[in-house]
Amino acid sequence: MRKFPEILFKLNFWILFLIAAQVAAIIFLAFYIPYFLPVALTFVIVWLLSAVCAALLFARKGSADVKCVWFVIIAAVPVAGALIYLLATVKRSPHAILTVKKEGENGIYSAANALCGTCSAGYSAAKYFENGTEFFSSAIPAIKGAKKNVYMEFFIISRGHIFNSLIQALETAAANGAEIKIILDGVGSAFRVNKKDLKRLKTVGAEVKIFHKLTPFPHAKINVRDHRKIIAIDGKTAYTGGVNLADEYANIVLPHGYWKDTGVAVYGSAAKIFEGMFLSMWHGKYEMSAPDLNPEEKLCLPFYDSPPHRSFCEDAYISAIYSSRERVHIFTPYFCVSDKTAAALAFTAQRGVDVKIIIPHIPDKKYAFEISKAFARTLTESGVKFFEFTPGFMHAKSLICDNKVFLGSYNFDFRSTRYNYECGILFEKDICNEVERDFQNCLALSMPLTEGKLSRLKRTSRFILRFFAPLI
């Protein structure tokens, strides 16, 4: 009873109260309203209760795009809509929070330090990978050579040729005395690895954690996923990008034509930041001092998002897009962006900047492809040019703005900016030029996204998909 006054000020309390009020009102009205009020007024009362509940929900922090969808759901489905929202948006405690202690940061480095706890870091060398085969050809030997630790965090780990190569590499690393820790996502890796596969990892000495394990009982946390791709080795080398640990990423199997992906390896003190990201996920939070910067090293910016408490990437992307003067070139498998990101791209194209986006020609999810084309159709009218990667599936994830490039696990969609744990790295000049060359090569293999007049059924289905896009 002592906590009752506090409960009265909790938004969830009032949501539950209004749900109970709606249920009670419906039961009461079903039995007694014919004696007192016309049926029309009954419906007015039910809808009014829903509107009040939706108004309270709008008091919560969050994206306006997402709130609008929930508002319609709550208004359209009295009682149930509010209950679904409550179950789907359960309050989460902060997790995977990294704090790197560093003062004197400026510009985007200062914003990163304030919003996601990272900072500028040095690197002695970096290598860009144009496909998964190159990525694994570098990463597997690097894991074998580990002496102190191997930390791995992936959305998908799947049995197959790559998995077997990983097991062999980890055996060697363990024999060298390296500590091995692995995090895999419970949804992304569901049905791709089983208990036997996990036992193989543990047999070679790996500690394994599953993020939000898939269970028979639905719960809100399932919608929040660990989409990061990190391999951190001895605090000296780190890998990230779009590549997961599965055979299709190395084109060993071809479920959707040629699988185009990218990644990057960074050598030097910046690798310590990625090690810190992993440890923040492993322990829930992690603090570290900024790595010492060698005068001979170049600067980069590792960054991440931990929803809903840390949000950096989308605003960093928008700032870079608005600041660009020559080019904005994007690789992405899915294109489903917020109004503010869409406005930045449209305005930048209207300023005369070359804005080009390459998406897949052969999608892995048809509904996601339709959503991408729905968003693309609107932006095409503003001068943004979309292309389909004809050899197969475009899974690469990068944003080039003039001489800057953002690489990492982020897609251009709501899931990456709202619901997923993600990571990335910002480079300038040399690596940017390599990614731009890769973009131009892919552009030569792509065709413009063109669509004629859509049928009424197609327009309707896209309208529905686009409406629910912020939730999926």
Side-chain angles (χ1 to χ4, degrees):
M1 291 299 293
R2 293 179 181 178
K3 294 185 177 181
F4 186 74
E6 297 179 15
I7 294 174
L8 289 176
F9 292 96
K10 298 290 186 181
L11 186 57
N12 281 349
F13 169 81
W14 289 105
I15 293 173
L16 289 170
F17 176 80
L18 285 172
I19 291 173
Q22 288 184 48
V23 172
I26 290 173
I27 294 173
F28 175 83
L29 294 173
F31 285 98
Y32 298 103
I33 201 64
Y35 298 102
F36 301 103
L37 297 171
V39 174
L41 186 56
T42 302
F43 282 101
V44 169
I45 294 173
V46 172
W47 294 118
L48 183 61
L49 286 170
S50 295
V52 172
C53 188
L56 287 174
L57 295 177
F58 263 70
R60 278 184 168 172
K61 295 180 180 179
S63 165
D65 306 86
V66 176
K67 287 180 178 180
C68 285
V69 179
W70 279 116
F71 177 84
V72 174
I73 292 174
I74 292 168
V77 190
V79 182
L83 182 59
I84 292 169
Y85 177 87
L86 178 64
L87 294 175
T89 57
V90 63
K91 187 176 181 181
R92 303 186 299 273
S93 58
H95 186 75
I97 302 300
L98 173 65
T99 303
V100 182
K101 300 174 183 178
K102 186 172 184 178
E103 298 179 355
E105 294 284 75
N106 297 305
I108 194 169
Y109 303 120
S110 176
N113 195 245
L115 293 173
C116 65
T118 64
C119 65
S120 60
Y123 68 99
S124 56
K127 182 168 179 56
Y128 175 67
F129 306 109
E130 296 185 4
N131 54 61
T133 303
E134 292 181 359
F135 181 92
F136 292 119
S137 295
S138 175
I140 296 297
I143 292 171
K144 286 183 178 180
K147 305 296 183 183
K148 295 180 179 179
N149 51 61
V150 177
Y151 298 146
M152 302 176 60
E153 183 177 348
F154 281 90
F155 179 61
I156 294 174
I157 295 181
S158 177
R159 70 184 72 89
H161 177 79
I162 295 297
F163 185 77
N164 292 335
S165 298
L166 173 65
I167 292 291
Q168 294 173 5
L170 292 175
E171 285 178 340
T172 304
N176 296 338
E179 176 187 56
I180 303 170
K181 296 182 184 292
I182 299 173
I183 300 173
L184 55 93
D185 185 78
V187 174
S189 300
F191 311 114
R192 288 176 170 265
V193 288
N194 53 30
K195 291 182 179 179
K196 182 179 179 180
D197 300 315
L198 296 177
K199 186 177 180 179
R200 290 182 67 189
L201 289 172
K202 294 174 182 177
T203 300
V204 300
E207 294 181 74
V208 180
K209 286 189 177 182
I210 301 176
F211 181 83
H212 291 174
K213 185 182 295 186
L214 185 64
T215 67
F217 305 100
H219 55 89
K221 289 183 179 179
I222 284 295
N223 197 41
V224 180
R225 301 169 191 170
D226 184 358
H227 195 247
R228 296 176 183 176
K229 288 87 175 170
I230 296 174
I231 303 176
I233 303 170
D234 291 348
K236 298 178 180 179
T237 305
Y239 291 79
T240 190
V243 180
N244 281 298
L245 290 172
D247 286 355
E248 61 266 32
Y249 292 84
N251 283 291
I252 296 171
V253 296
L254 304 170
H256 309 292
Y258 180 80
W259 193 289
K260 168 61 181 176
D261 222 317
T262 58
V264 65
V266 60
Y267 305 91
S269 56
K272 291 292 292 183
I273 305 293
F274 281 96
E275 181 179 279
M277 288 184 203
F278 174 90
L279 292 172
S280 72
M281 179 63 77
W282 186 270
H283 297 295
K285 61 181 180 179
Y286 186 74
E287 292 186 8
M288 58 182 286
S289 299
D292 294 331
L293 181 62
N294 188 321
E296 297 178 358
E297 290 185 321
K298 302 174 185 177
L299 278 183
C300 65
L301 176 64
F303 60 90
Y304 73 95
D305 277 340
S306 290
H309 308 283
R310 293 288 174 92
S311 180
F312 169 78
C313 181
E314 185 180 28
D315 288 337
Y317 278 11
I318 291 171
S319 176
I321 290 169
Y322 274 124
S323 299
S324 61
R325 296 184 177 184
E326 297 179 5
R327 65 190 181 193
V328 173
H329 292 165
I330 296 170
F331 284 132
T332 182
Y334 316 112
F335 187 78
C336 167
V337 296
S338 67
D339 286 344
K340 62 181 183 179
T341 300
L345 290 167
F347 184 73
T348 300
Q350 289 165 342
R351 287 193 290 113
V353 175
D354 181 37
V355 182
K356 291 187 175 80
I357 300 171
I358 302 179
I359 61 174
H361 177 64
I362 303 175
D364 65 336
K365 304 178 183 69
K366 290 185 178 180
Y367 75 87
F369 192 44
E370 288 300 315
I371 291 174
S372 295
K373 289 193 285 188
F375 278 83
R377 194 177 182 91
T378 301
L379 283 175
T380 299
E381 299 171 359
S382 300
V384 179
K385 300 180 180 69
F386 285 83
F387 298 85
E388 295 182 47
F389 181 69
T390 54
F393 184 56
M394 170 61 68
H395 192 259
K397 312 159 194 302
S398 65
L399 167 66
I400 302 168
C401 292
D402 293 343
N403 65 344
K404 297 180 179 179
V405 60
F406 297 82
L407 294 164
S409 64
Y410 292 85
N411 296 315
F412 266 74
D413 64 7
F414 285 100
R415 176 153 293 283
S416 281
T417 57
R418 301 286 185 272
Y419 306 113
N420 288 348
Y421 290 81
E422 304 277 8
C423 68
I425 188 168
L426 167 63
F427 291 103
E428 295 189 30
K429 297 179 181 178
D430 52 349
I431 294 296
C432 183
N433 292 335
E434 291 186 48
V435 182
E436 175 62 22
R437 283 195 293 271
D438 189 22
F439 183 89
Q440 293 299 330
N441 291 336
C442 289
L443 196 62
L445 298 172
S446 303
M447 65 179 186
L449 174 62
T450 57
E451 292 186 297
K453 186 177 180 180
L454 302 179
S455 67
R456 183 175 297 177
L457 178 61
K458 178 71 76 172
R459 292 198 306 270
T460 302
S461 63
R462 283 196 183 174
F463 171 81
I464 295 172
L465 285 171
R466 181 164 180 167
F467 175 77
F468 285 104
L471 303 184
I472 57 178

